[in-house]
Amino acid sequence: MPDGFEVGVSTAAFQIEGAVRDDGRGPSTWDEFMAQPGRIADGSDASIATDHYHRYREDVGLMKELGVDSYRFSLGWPRIQPGGVGGANRAGIQFYDRLLDELLAAGIRPMATLFHWDMPEPLQHKGGWMTRDTASRFADFALLAGEAFGDRVDKWVTINEPTTVTLNGYALGIHAPGATLMFDSLLSAHHQLLGHGLAVQALRSVGVTGGIGITNVHSPVHPAKDTMRNRAHAEVFDLIHNRIFADPVLLGRYPRFPLLSRKLFAPLIEVDDADLKIIAQPLDFYGLNYYMPTRIGSGPPADDTTPDGVAAGVRLLPFHIQAWPEYPTTAFGWPIAPEFLTETLEDYATRYQGVLPPVYITEGGASFDDVVAADGSVDDADRASYLAEHLAAAFAGVEGVDLRGYYVWTLLDNWEWAAGFEQRFGLIHVNAETQQRTPKRSYAWLQHVLRERR
Ligand code: FCB
C-alpha cells in the first residue's frame, strides 16, 4: 500500500438511515418512488433501512474497529432542508453534528456527499433536475451544509454519479423520479453539473476547510465487434455514460458529438458558455466510482434488463449492453474485472492529462448472495477476493493519475435502491428484522490488511 493511501468505507443517507419521518425530515423523491407498486424488486422500502439514524454510534464503533482512515456518507437534503427552500431544520443538522463528532473522536476523517439521490419532494414536483432553478436550490443547500459542517468535514463531494441520476432516474425510469425521457433527459445532466459548480462556489464562499470534489462513475466502454457501426455505438455509450459528465467538469466543455447523433445531444450543444465556466470550477480532488466495464453490441437488446433493473425504454435503442462471459459475476450480474479499474485510471490519464486533480476511488464493491452459517458467521470469501484484487489494482495505480485512496462500497448490507434488500454489498451483515450487525469475513480480512500496514 503506498504511503499515505487512504482506505475508507462509503455509504449513502437514504440507503442506511431509515427514520424517514423523524425529527422534521421532509419527504423525498425516493420516499414517493419506493411507495409506487412495482418499482422495487422485493417490494420493500427504506423507511427503516439499517436504522443507522439511531445506531450511528454502534456503526462508527464498527468502522473504528475496522481501522479505516475515512468515512464517506451523504447528508440527507430532506433532513436538513425539508422543503428544499429556506433555513435549516435544526434537528437534521444536529444528527449530522453528532455523527461528525463521533467520527472525529474515533479518528476517522469525514467525507460528506451533498447529493446522493434523495431530493426534497417539493423540488421534484417542480421538475427536479429537469428544472434549471434546482441547480440554485442545490447551491443554497450546499451553503447551509457548509455553514453547519464546514469546520469538520475533511472532503466534500457535491454530487454522486450524476450519470446514474440522469440515465436511471430521468431516461429509463429505473430509479426515482421514474421518468422515461430517453435522450431528452440530458437536460438533467446539464442542470446537475451546473448545480455542482454553484455548490462548489457556495462551499468556498463560506470558507469550508475541507477539499471539494465531485464523484463520477466511470465504465470503460468496448465495442463487441471491431466494425465501424459497433465502434460508433460504443462511442455514443461512452459519451452518455462517461464523457458528458467528466469533460465539462475537467475541460470546461462538452465533448464533440458525432454528426449522426448531434440531434440526440441537442440539450448539451446549445449551452451558454457562462454555464460551462461555472461547471469547470477548479477542484481539490476528483472522485471516481468504479464497478464494471461495459461491452456494447449493435442493434436493440433482446430484453428489458439493464445492470440496475428492468427498463422497457432500452428496446428503443440501436445498441445494447452485452455480457462478459470471460469474467465471473456478482449477484447483480456485474462482471468482476479489476483490470478495468486500471483501464479507468488510464482513460482519465489520457483524457484529462494535465488538468486532473488528485483522485479518490470513492466507491467500489460487490454484491453476493451471502450465506449465514448456523453459528451466525458469514464467510464471504468472494467479497474479500474482490476487494483484494481491486485494492491491488488501486495500489499499483497508473502513471499520470495521483490516486490517493479507495473507499469500499459498503459498510453495511443496506437498501440497494430498485433492488431493495436483495443485493447485499456490506462488509457487515445486517439482519433486517433484528438490525443485528455481524461483521463478515471480508471485514476481518480488511481489518487485517489495515492493521498490517501500521
Ligand atoms: C452506486 C451508487 C451506490 C450503490 C452502488 C452499488 O452506483 O452510488 O449508492 O447503489 O452503486
Side-chain angles (χ1 to χ4, degrees), residues 190 193-194 196-197 248-249 254 271 274-281:
H190 182 65
L193 292 172
L194 185 63
H196 152 76
V249 169
Y254 282 105
V271 160
D275 283 5
L276 287 163
K277 285 220 171 67
I278 295 170
I279 292 170
Q281 296 300 303

Side-chain angles (χ1 to χ4, degrees), residues 112-124:
T113 302
L114 287 170
F115 183 71
H116 202 132
W117 307 355
D118 46 344
M119 173 178 286
E121 201 177 39
L123 297 183
Q124 192 62 59

Side-chain angles (χ1 to χ4, degrees), residues 19-43:
V20 292
R21 274 173 279 278
D22 285 43
D23 297 339
R25 177 187 177 276
S28 87
T29 333
W30 270 94
D31 294 54
E32 194 172 12
F33 185 75
M34 71 187 180
Q36 294 164 7
R39 293 295 198 184
I40 311 301
D42 59 0

Side-chain angles (χ1 to χ4, degrees), residues 7-11 16 50 59 62-68 70-71 364-368 370 376-388 391 406-414 423-430 436-450:
V7 175
V9 282
S10 195
T11 66
I16 60 167
T50 68
D59 294 340
L62 286 161
M63 284 182 236
K64 188 178 176 187
E65 267 297 295
L66 177 58
V68 286
S70 176
Y71 174 47
S367 63
F368 290 108
D370 297 325
S377 64
V378 180
D379 185 356
D380 60 338
D382 39 15
R383 185 172 290 103
S385 342
Y386 178 100
L387 293 175
L391 278 170
Y406 186 101
Y407 288 69
V408 175
W409 184 271
T410 180
L411 181 69
L412 306 162
D413 287 344
N414 64 22
Q423 299 292 332
R424 293 181 181 270
F425 275 88
L427 296 168
I428 298 171
H429 179 271
V430 178
Q436 194 192 328
R437 275 100 164 113
T438 309
K440 304 178 191 174
R441 178 170 171 187
S442 56
Y443 175 101
W445 173 82
L446 185 60
Q447 183 179 52
H448 177 72
V449 169
L450 295 172

Side-chain angles (χ1 to χ4, degrees), residues 10-12 15 72 116-117 160-161 164 168 175 215 217 289 291 308 332 334 363 365-367 409-410 414-417 425:
S10 195
T11 66
Q15 294 180 269
R72 173 170 179 244
H116 202 132
W117 307 355
N160 176 70
E161 297 191 2
T164 311
N168 285 350
H175 286 176
T215 282
V217 59
N289 291 353
Y291 285 96
D308 297 315
F332 239 145
W334 301 355
E363 284 179 32
S367 63
W409 184 271
T410 180
N414 64 22
W415 194 77
E416 177 51 40
W417 310 111
F425 275 88

Side-chain angles (χ1 to χ4, degrees), residues 150-174:
D151 55 336
R152 283 162 293 166
V153 168
D154 185 56
K155 295 181 198 71
W156 294 88
V157 171
T158 53
I159 298 188
N160 176 70
E161 297 191 2
T163 306
T164 311
V165 174
T166 291
L167 299 189
N168 285 350
Y170 289 84
L172 297 172
I174 301 169

